[in-house]
Amino acid sequence: MIKGLLFDLDGVIVDTAKYHYYAWKQIADELSIEFTLQDNERLKGVSRARSFQIILELGGRTMSEAEQEEYCEKKNQIYLDYINKMTEDEILPGVKPFLTDAKNKGYRIALGSASQNAQSILTLTNLKDYFDVIVDGKTVSAAKPNPEVFIKGANELGLKNEECIVFEDSVSGIEAAHHANMLAVGIGAEKDLPMADMHLDGFCLVTIEKIIGELK
Ligand code: XGP
Ligand code: MG
């Protein structure tokens, strides 16, 4: 029986995936590395450090750890310039009613994000109170597709892994859910997330019962 819902943040709850792309694109341009929107799919869900390594791999480049850290810090500053202007308008459509309805029906709700900026974003958008548990890039050591973030989320909710479902917009996140023995709802197109157990464009006009019914 499903009792817990684990949500990724960027691209699932808030429209921030585009800001990560703009910021990484600026870094890639600075390094003269070609970086497309399609390449960006590989960065979704993974940690900041791993994201930058993927960009270096795309360009066939290597760099010392210290330099990599500098670029990651620079990317985060660019990203924060976007984020600090963020308002509740950037909560994705249907998210708040969906969370409210699920909460009223007794589902336990956790955030499972790779981002170290998760707490700031939830504060800026007034979303913190919707989550019983928050697991983010500051509290996990292994990035998705490692299942640590979701296993920790289920644990902190006091639930078994198989009692939880995951909402994710990234390939690495869907893999992480499956490694944790959880069903995964892909937020986005089937072509981008072929291994998800079902797909949604977003949370408008969907209910948790409908999703669970379809997953069975
Ligand atoms: P943070 C971010 C990564 O920088 C970004 O590449 C990922 O797509 C994103 O996490 C996934 O949620 O981490 O820089 O906000 O800590
Ligand atoms: Mg995401």
Side-chain angles (χ1 to χ4, degrees):
M1 191 182 159
I2 299 300
K3 298 178 180 169
L5 313 179
L6 308 182
F7 292 84
D8 173 47
L9 176 70
D10 295 313
V12 170
I13 298 285
V14 282
D15 198 10
T16 41
K18 62 178 189 244
Y19 297 136
H20 282 297
Y21 172 66
Y22 300 154
W24 283 128
K25 175 80 180 135
Q26 215 168 304
I27 295 292
D29 284 351
E30 193 178 315
L31 291 164
S32 305
I33 294 175
E34 202 188 317
F35 179 63
T36 64
L37 256 180
Q38 198 54 43
D39 295 327
N40 187 60
E41 286 301 312
R42 288 181 58 199
L43 271 58
K44 287 187 178 173
V46 306
S47 66
R48 193 182 306 165
R50 179 65 197 134
S51 295
F52 186 57
Q53 282 165 7
I54 294 172
I55 292 178
L56 289 178
E57 282 165 26
L58 285 167
R61 302 270 282 276
T62 53
M63 204 178 262
S64 72
E65 255 185 50
E67 267 182 300
Q68 290 187 38
E69 271 169 33
E70 267 176 48
Y71 277 105
C72 282
E73 184 48 39
K74 193 166 181 180
K75 180 266 174 179
N76 198 47
Q77 284 310 319
I78 301 169
Y79 178 69
L80 288 178
D81 285 344
Y82 287 115
I83 291 311
N84 288 331
K85 295 181 205 112
M86 221 178 140
T87 66
E88 289 188 36
D89 294 347
E90 280 167 281
I91 300 170
L92 284 161
V95 163
K96 272 172 126 177
F98 183 84
L99 290 175
T100 305
D101 180 58
K103 217 174 171 56
N104 288 340
K105 287 170 180 156
Y107 289 93
R108 306 265 293 139
I109 297 176
L111 188 87
S113 168
S115 175
Q116 296 178 50
N117 296 300
Q119 292 272 1
S120 325
I121 290 173
L122 292 182
T123 303
L124 279 165
T125 51
N126 286 318
L127 282 172
K128 252 190 182 158
D129 291 347
Y130 288 86
F131 295 91
D132 299 304
V133 159
I134 294 170
V135 185
D136 64 14
K138 286 192 174 157
T139 51
V140 291
S141 49
K144 300 167 190 174
N146 187 294
E148 182 187 352
V149 64
F150 295 135
I151 292 174
K152 205 163 187 259
N155 252 324
E156 290 185 19
L157 287 177
L159 299 174
K160 297 189 189 111
N161 290 4
E162 54 278 15
E163 289 175 326
C164 298
I165 55 175
V166 168
F167 295 87
E168 257 293 349
D169 71 326
S170 72
V171 169
S172 60
I174 305 274
E175 282 172 3
H178 286 166
H179 290 318
N181 208 13
M182 296 172 186
L183 290 167
V185 180
I187 306 298
E190 193 165 352
K191 72 165 176 44
D192 293 325
L193 303 167
M195 70 301 278
D197 299 294
M198 71 174 274
H199 297 85
L200 288 178
D201 291 337
F203 293 95
C204 284
L205 304 174
V206 283
T207 60
I208 184 61
E209 294 86 352
K210 194 162 175 259
I211 292 169
I212 292 173
E214 232 174 277
L215 282 169
K216 276 182 186 155

